[in-house]
Amino acid sequence: MNDILLEIKGLHASVEGKEILRGIDLVIRRGEIHAVMGPNGAGKSTLSAVLAGKPGYEVTSGEIVFDGKDLLELSPEERSWAGIFLSFQYPIEIPGVTITNFMKAAVDAHRKAKGEEPLSAGGFLRLMKEKMALVQMKGEFAKRDVNAGFSGGEKKRCEIFQMAMLDPVLSILDETDSGLDVDALRIVSDGVNALHTPEKSAIVITHYKRLLDYIVPDVVHVLKAGKIVATGGRELVEIIENEGYDKF
Amino acid sequence: MRDMTSSEKVFVIGPDQISALPPERFSVGTGEELRVVLVVLPGVSPVIPMTFDLVGEGASVRVSALYLAAGSGKVRFDVLMHHRAPHTTSTQLFNGIAGGEASTVFSGRIIIDEGTFGIDAGQENHNILVSDRARAESDPQLEIYADDVKCSHGATVGRLDEQEQFYMRSRGIPEDEARFLQLLSFASPVLQSLPDHCREAVSSRVSSAIRSLLAQ
Ligand SMILES: Nc1ncnc2c1ncn2[C@@H]1O[C@H](COP(=O)(O)OP(=O)(O)OP(=O)(O)O)[C@@H](O)[C@H]1O
Ligand SMILES: [Mg+2]
């Protein structure tokens, strides 16, 4: 098995004709946690969207190889089946679709992609219960419509619950810490850490050192104006916290 | 306290059930409550005129309708909700889905007579187009000749939300399944208003109709 999980080479991407990513190179090995920090509007969420295959995000040059596959050839659902998960900075509300029905459709689609039968109703509910417990989500959420009327923190917990259900190989956490109170931050981080294994990797996008005290990165990148302008270890977090982004 | 007499009528109109068109006129008297649920399945092109006369004090009407049009189907509603007596209330929910080259028209008039009071009338007509060539028209007309009136209406014609679709797909739900879930949730308020004895049977016909509509 190749030790490299994700390789991004010379990635340029535009939204509505405007170039946002201007030459990104990034290598993530299996087991590694990479933090991406950078000022507002730098292109962090754009990078997440491109990795997840969001329509409207046009890759104008460069390539992305994920787990040996040409990622840019895959639809968003195929990327999910291949093991990519994006925790949205702004999770989408889907009134009229319950979390149970939503997750049942997602889990069954993942199983089908692997050639497995759908889970039994009982097996599925047990899995839901177990994963909801991981992020201390109350059982009553199972019956609620996806994210509809959830508080900011509840939405983020629900993202990590979904991550736990789908058991991805590469998790991209786009500001999962924003909107979380101190206790929720710890619960969510513990959840993420519990799901981490030596075969799995994560990209953690954040503005704050606090999250990276819980989810400890192996590598830290600074993304600014669509380019990675610095890469280093945890010491970079300290420098950013104290001095901001001007020096990069 | 006045006794309410309540009646409930369900009409499912599809290729194999064309006889089930509703009557053209409903008269609702003092203290009566009428609930009507209509479901139009693809494969028919009905013109459905319905007049509701709220003639007695305290009369109330609730209409919910779901209409699915596909292929070259045409569905037309001409609804008149006529408030002729005081303290009458009406709510209307018409949800339409059009695919293929289908076209739908909802024409909904509300008349509130002079000399009435304490009227509450609401009308909603929402449409989702699932193909580029499908059309939906919404034509609400309010004629209010009284003062003490609460009257609201809303009409929309739109497409399935792409943010929702991407969110679902990012969780591995295939695009068609995502669209199916969205349409089912759009249909759900009408299906929920079906009486218990037929909710499950009608809902399952609606879900297979939605699937075939998406496959077009
Ligand atoms: N759909 C869009 N249309 C036009 N511009 C867009 C669109 N999406 C993103 N942009 C622009 O791309 C730039 C990068 O946005 P992005 O959301 O990736 O930033 P970010 O690094 O995630 O910022 P933040 O820290 O505030 O979340 C911004 O200038 C933004 O306005
Ligand atoms: Mg962002």
Side-chain angles (χ1 to χ4, degrees), chain A residues 31-56:
Chain A
E32 285 179 349
I33 295 179
H34 287 231
V36 175
M37 305 185 77
N40 295 129
K44 303 180 298 296
S45 294
T46 302
L47 177 61
S48 313
V50 168
L51 288 170
K54 185 168 180 179

Side-chain angles (χ1 to χ4, degrees), chain A residues 39-46 48 89-90 174-175 205 207:
Chain A
N40 295 129
K44 303 180 298 296
S45 294
T46 302
S48 313
Q89 181 173 2
Y90 304 109
D174 193 354
E175 296 198 27
I205 297 169
H207 289 293

Side-chain angles (χ1 to χ4, degrees), chain B residues 12-15 38-46 48 65-77 94-100 102-104 126-128 130 180 183-184 186-188 190-191 202-214 216:
Chain B
V12 179
I13 301 153
L38 270 142
V39 175
V40 180
L41 296 163
V44 287
S45 289
I48 305 173
L66 173 70
Y67 48 110
L68 312 180
S72 54
K74 290 186 183 353
V75 177
R76 180 178 179 102
F77 284 99
F94 283 80
N95 278 0
I97 300 173
S103 62
T104 65
H126 301 294
N127 295 278
I128 293 188
V130 294
F180 171 75
L183 290 176
L184 202 59
F186 178 72
S188 155
V190 177
L191 301 178
V202 176
S203 299
S204 94
R205 292 189 64 182
V206 166
S207 50
S208 29
I210 292 175
R211 285 203 192 274
S212 63
L213 200 140
L214 285 173
Q216 279 190 349

